[in-house]
Amino acid sequence: SPALFFSRLWLVTATARGASSTTSGSRDNTNTTADTWQQSAPKPSDWQPWPYSWDVFPALYFAANPEGDYTVSQLRRIGKFQLAIIEFRQSQFLGEETGTGKWADGDEGSAASRQCQRLKQVTTADAPPCLTYRSGMWGGTMYPLQEAHMRAHPDAYLPHTSDCDGFTDYPLDIINEPPNASGIARCRYDFTEEAARTFFSSVLVQRGVVEDAHVDGLFVDNGQSVPCDGEGEYSARTRPQRRRLQRRTLDAHADAFRRLVDAGKYPVLSTTNRYSSVARPLVPWESDCPDGEERTVQAFADAGVPFARNNEFWMWNLGETCAAQLQNSKLELDDGIPVIVHAPYFRSGKGCLEGCFGGVQGDRR
């Protein structure tokens, strides 16, 4: 049922000041910030899987069908978008029908990859690039490679186990949901451990995405959520400890993204981070990042890796929060970083968030 889809509207902005309506990705010669660090690296604005300009921006499809494979009709509709991202709830409830009782029959990675393969078969030459999803924060037993690693290397995951059961126990038995079904307690990567960094880049990304012929790139969610968590929801680490964790996380992501780029595949990083010069958080959680976004940009530049940055909860609130998001995005564009935004759409409000309405329902301000 389409009503079960977790559909979203995604937009990607042009990446350079002064880009003309006819030349995608042209750069203003006065913008030296990005040019300085991109002299020996691929310029993100020159390496995109979609056309754009100041007059035309692509709409991106980010969703999943938790019931099973998309139908041919649905795939044709997805093919009208300029980019498709299949998220981690793909085929989530399939095990209820097949009898395995497992999330995506125990292999979420294959379920997502299969949608990319079928999208290309149905839409042929018009198929948009198709990316799949991995979390930059947690490991889940719906991915066989992750389950095996979580069992073999528990020390590669943080000891803070709150809310882990949804990623460890539930995927193995979505029907009965028994407690402690997996025997795995930890679920969030500790990238200060070499075993976590090596697994993420050389196994999870290399084998699960780079070597998958049907997938064109990777969306890494919650890229800096744990290091930026000042409330202690995800770990009990002090701020200096979170700084070290953030830097080792960047090491893992840079290596993984380098592998993707070398294979001609596109990386997207979703993060709540912001430039240090932007005073107000972009969202009111996971916003205490020890290192500002400029260090992230520099780390990927040093690795010669172009990437796009995703913004969740884009303009979900007006006023100072909205202003901070716009200010931060301008700095990203000045640095040549493509910006993807998640813009929630509410049909009853004709696309506008609650912040666009007054006290009377339907009174658009």
Side-chain angles (χ1 to χ4, degrees):
S1 169
L4 291 173
F5 291 178
F6 298 85
S7 58
R8 305 173 180 179
L9 174 64
W10 298 73
L11 315 175
V12 59
T13 70
T15 63
R17 294 181 297 179
S20 69
S21 60
T22 57
T23 304
S24 172
S26 63
R27 301 181 63 83
D28 183 334
N29 290 333
T30 63
N31 181 13
T32 58
T33 303
D35 292 337
T36 299
W37 63 259
Q38 292 173 354
Q39 288 175 353
S40 59
K43 292 183 178 180
S45 57
D46 294 338
W47 195 70
Q48 300 294 337
W50 51 77
Y52 60 84
S53 72
W54 286 114
D55 297 325
V56 178
F57 59 82
L60 315 182
Y61 179 87
F62 185 106
N65 180 358
E67 299 295 328
D69 289 348
Y70 285 104
T71 66
V72 170
S73 175
Q74 291 162 349
L75 289 169
R76 285 174 178 158
R77 292 189 178 189
I78 296 172
K80 296 180 182 295
F81 289 80
Q82 285 72 54
L83 181 67
I85 302 175
I86 309 300
E87 59 111 314
F88 77 101
R89 294 181 179 92
Q90 178 59 43
S91 301
Q92 176 180 349
F93 304 130
L94 182 61
E96 295 179 351
E97 300 297 326
T98 63
T100 66
K102 293 184 177 183
W103 182 312
D105 268 350
D107 193 350
E108 173 60 35
S110 293
S113 172
R114 187 167 61 250
Q115 309 317 307
C116 291
Q117 178 185 19
R118 296 179 64 245
L119 178 63
K120 292 175 171 62
Q121 292 171 342
V122 168
T123 57
T124 60
D126 296 327
C130 186
L131 279 60
T132 53
Y133 173 110
R134 294 294 188 278
S135 175
M137 176 172 71
W138 51 260
T141 56
M142 68 282 283
Y143 297 97
L145 291 174
Q146 288 186 336
E147 180 184 358
H149 188 260
M150 294 162 77
R151 294 188 185 281
H153 300 278
D155 290 343
Y157 298 82
L158 293 165
H160 207 72
T161 60
S162 62
D163 301 321
C164 279
D165 55 344
F167 302 104
T168 58
D169 299 328
Y170 169 72
L172 297 181
D173 191 342
I174 62 175
I175 298 175
N176 301 306
E177 302 184 34
N180 304 316
S182 65
I184 300 172
R186 302 182 178 192
C187 67
R188 280 178 281 273
Y189 294 114
D190 181 357
F191 284 116
T192 63
E193 296 290 334
E194 184 179 357
R197 299 193 301 272
T198 300
F199 168 76
F200 187 86
S201 61
S202 64
V203 179
L204 184 70
V205 173
Q206 177 68 33
R207 291 172 53 187
V209 181
V210 172
E211 297 175 7
D212 188 333
H214 307 304
V215 175
D216 301 311
L218 179 66
F219 179 95
V220 175
D221 202 5
N222 301 114
Q224 298 172 320
S225 294
V226 178
C228 296
D229 168 38
E231 293 77 29
E233 296 291 331
Y234 302 138
S235 79
R237 301 208 167 176
T238 64
R239 201 167 197 272
Q241 290 173 330
R242 287 191 289 109
R243 185 186 303 277
R244 181 169 178 265
L245 176 60
Q246 184 176 3
R247 294 181 180 183
R248 297 294 78 78
T249 300
L250 272 178
D251 292 341
H253 290 169
D255 184 33
F257 283 16
R258 176 76 269 166
R259 293 168 184 267
L260 289 164
V261 172
D262 286 346
K265 302 194 176 191
Y266 200 77
V268 178
L269 180 70
S270 186
T271 176
T272 54
N273 204 351
R274 68 188 188 278
Y275 283 76
S276 299
S277 60
V278 178
R280 187 178 180 85
L282 308 187
V283 292
W285 55 82
E286 301 169 16
S287 59
D288 186 28
C289 303
D291 289 327
E293 187 180 352
E294 59 273 12
R295 188 178 183 91
T296 301
V297 173
Q298 188 63 55
F300 287 124
D302 291 343
V305 176
F307 74 105
R309 183 261 171 86
N310 171 65
N311 290 265
E312 282 281 4
F313 305 100
W314 178 257
M315 297 184 71
W316 66 284
N317 203 342
L318 301 183
E320 293 181 355
T321 297
C322 175
Q325 292 176 339
L326 292 173
Q327 181 185 0
N328 199 73
S329 293
K330 181 182 181 300
L331 294 172
E332 290 172 329
L333 299 182
D334 288 346
D335 273 348
I337 307 301
V339 176
I340 297 176
V341 302
H342 168 199
Y345 179 85
F346 296 90
R347 182 175 297 178
S348 62
K350 298 182 179 180
C352 201
L353 290 171
E354 292 181 4
C356 300
F357 294 88
V360 180
Q361 185 174 4
D363 178 22
R364 188 196 293 267
R365 295 292 177 87

